[in-house]
Amino acid sequence: MKLTGVELRRVSMPLVSPFRTSFGTQTARELMLLRVVTDEGEGWGECVAMADPLYSSEYNDAAADVLQRFLVPALAASGPLEAHRVATVLAPFKGHRMAKAALEMGVLDAELRAQGRSFGSALGAVHERVPCGVSVGIMDSVPALVDAVGGYLDEGYVRIKLKIEPGWDVEPVRAVREQYGDDVLLQVDANTAYTLADARHLAKLDPFDLLLIEQPLDEEDVLGHADLAKQIRTPVCLDESIVSAQSAAAAIRLGAAAIVNIKPGRVGGYLEARRIHDVCVANGVPVWCGGMLETGLGRAANVALAALPGFTLPGDTSGSGRYYHRDLTAPFVLDDGHLGVPTGPGLGVTPLEDALAEVTTATEWLTV
């Protein structure tokens, strides 16, 4: 294939309800889509960076800038367009994994559509559908949280993840556990809100038999996570700290990660995500697929990734209705707590033109 151009499209998608984490509250998802056009067709990529650098150092304006000035020109000048070469071509440019992941995703989608192959088959999926969990944000009151969790359980979600922060941790977990019992798969996510000095407090979560505590400490404090793991019984899962297969291997070796959350955008793309999966499988470490409030495009790719054999825990691959009244693609709807893995060429889904036009705030065409 030969790259002929890339369209950057900004969209703003209102959320069905505010989503609050330890680093802020979102009422709309501001994100960037890439339409990668080649001489054989086109593919879609989704950049999971946020509007502000709160979850990570990346943000939408910076992603657009690095794509326009560096990444797309380098890829266009590199010769034949092949998805497995994208990471190597872009490697000289440090960081910017979310921007790189979006570009690689678009190239991979275009390549697979041209070949008539699905994302799932290309990545090595072994399941036709995947179990789905849901992420529940910090709320104004514990009763409101308990009611929200009940609604998600009624919808069929097979695992509940509670966002936590100092002052909103033990009591919300206790209330959910007491209300819905020990059979509910329950885990918590701190998004780096604690320090190792909080170890004794975090140990108070141990009696609730949680699947895991996700990223309690700063993303650079891998040794701190290893120390914390020795002081609490709840398994420690890393998210923000895992940015590559190399970092995953190091964290596992240090004893910092009993479980790994794989987010393709955070690690530079779906091909690197598969490498992390392979490293974890080789070390007997379970993995699950995280979410970044993706549209149906990113959700399709995530579901395909979550169908690999090492993804043994339910991921944040929620149905479209969890975040959006109307998705950009045909909606993903839970069936007995599961989502089906798309089988069509590439992502297996395409944006609905009217839905896309409704939420588009800006477009820019990058000629190569």
Side-chain angles (χ1 to χ4, degrees):
M1 292 192 307
K2 180 181 178 181
L3 183 65
T4 59
V6 176
E7 179 189 71
L8 306 183
R9 180 180 291 262
R10 303 289 192 102
V11 302
S12 178
M13 298 185 62
L15 301 181
V16 296
S17 60
F19 186 62
R20 179 181 165 193
T21 67
S22 62
F23 57 81
T25 301
Q26 290 178 269
T27 57
R29 184 68 166 103
E30 312 285 341
L31 55 85
M32 183 169 57
L33 303 176
L34 277 66
R35 183 169 62 91
V36 175
V37 182
T38 79
D39 60 341
E40 297 185 19
E42 63 181 40
W44 288 90
E46 180 168 336
C47 183
V48 299
M50 300 172 63
D52 303 308
L54 300 175
Y55 169 78
S56 79
S57 60
E58 296 187 64
Y59 59 102
N60 285 333
D61 287 347
D65 181 70
V66 77
L67 281 161
Q68 179 182 18
R69 295 174 59 193
F70 301 105
L71 304 186
V72 172
L75 191 61
S78 68
L81 189 63
E82 298 173 298
H84 76 271
R85 295 181 58 246
V86 172
T88 300
V89 171
L90 303 183
F93 306 102
K94 305 302 182 184
H96 298 282
R97 289 181 172 87
M98 294 179 179
K100 291 176 179 178
L103 187 53
E104 182 192 81
M105 176 182 170
V107 173
L108 183 57
D109 185 33
E111 182 177 288
L112 293 175
R113 288 182 192 274
Q115 297 172 354
R117 300 173 63 206
S118 70
F119 245 70
S121 65
L123 293 176
V126 296
H127 303 292
E128 295 181 352
R129 62 180 199 153
V130 300
C132 298
V134 65
S135 181
V136 186
I138 296 167
M139 298 196 170
D140 292 335
S141 69
V142 170
L145 174 72
V146 171
D147 287 346
V149 169
Y152 293 128
L153 292 173
D154 289 343
E155 289 182 38
Y157 285 103
V158 301
R159 185 270 287 153
I160 300 294
K161 181 173 85 172
L162 304 181
K163 294 288 188 177
I164 62 171
E165 65 180 1
W168 181 270
D169 41 39
V170 176
E171 292 312 311
V173 170
R174 186 195 312 278
V176 170
R177 191 53 100 198
E178 289 179 351
Q179 178 69 29
Y180 299 110
D182 294 337
D183 291 338
V184 171
L185 298 180
L186 185 63
Q187 64 193 58
V188 295
D189 181 9
N191 289 114
T192 77
Y194 298 85
T195 70
L196 189 57
D198 297 311
R200 182 173 296 181
H201 178 72
L202 292 174
K204 295 178 182 178
L205 294 170
D206 288 344
F208 301 112
D209 193 27
L210 301 177
L211 285 174
L212 56 90
I213 179 170
E214 183 181 350
Q215 197 69 40
L217 313 182
D218 186 79
E219 64 183 82
E220 296 185 7
D221 194 6
V222 178
L223 284 176
H225 282 99
D227 290 338
L228 178 65
K230 299 173 184 176
Q231 300 180 52
I232 64 176
R233 294 200 310 271
T234 304
V236 173
C237 169
L238 292 187
D239 173 2
E240 287 92 330
S241 295
I242 304 300
V243 295
S244 64
Q246 183 179 20
S247 66
I252 293 168
R253 181 176 177 183
L254 290 170
I259 299 167
V260 169
N261 169 1
I262 301 179
K263 289 180 178 172
R266 192 193 64 235
V267 305
Y270 286 87
L271 300 184
E272 185 68 13
R274 182 174 61 185
R275 295 184 191 100
I276 295 173
H277 162 274
D278 294 347
V279 166
C280 291
V281 168
N283 285 275
V285 172
V287 301
W288 56 283
C289 185
M292 292 289 288
L293 283 67
E294 287 90 350
T295 72
L297 297 168
R299 195 176 315 278
N302 284 355
V303 169
L305 179 69
L308 269 63
F311 286 81
T312 56
L313 297 175
D316 286 341
T317 48
S318 307
S320 297
R322 164 62 185 94
Y323 296 113
Y324 305 118
H325 289 295
R326 187 185 190 191
D327 208 337
L328 294 183
T329 66
F332 282 81
V333 180
L334 254 62
D335 179 10
D336 191 27
H338 292 67
L339 289 180
V341 179
T343 57
L347 293 171
V349 298
T350 53
L352 304 171
E353 289 188 11
D354 57 338
L356 187 59
E358 184 178 310
V359 296
T360 295
T361 58
T363 60
E364 181 178 6
W365 176 254
L366 306 183
T367 303
V368 299

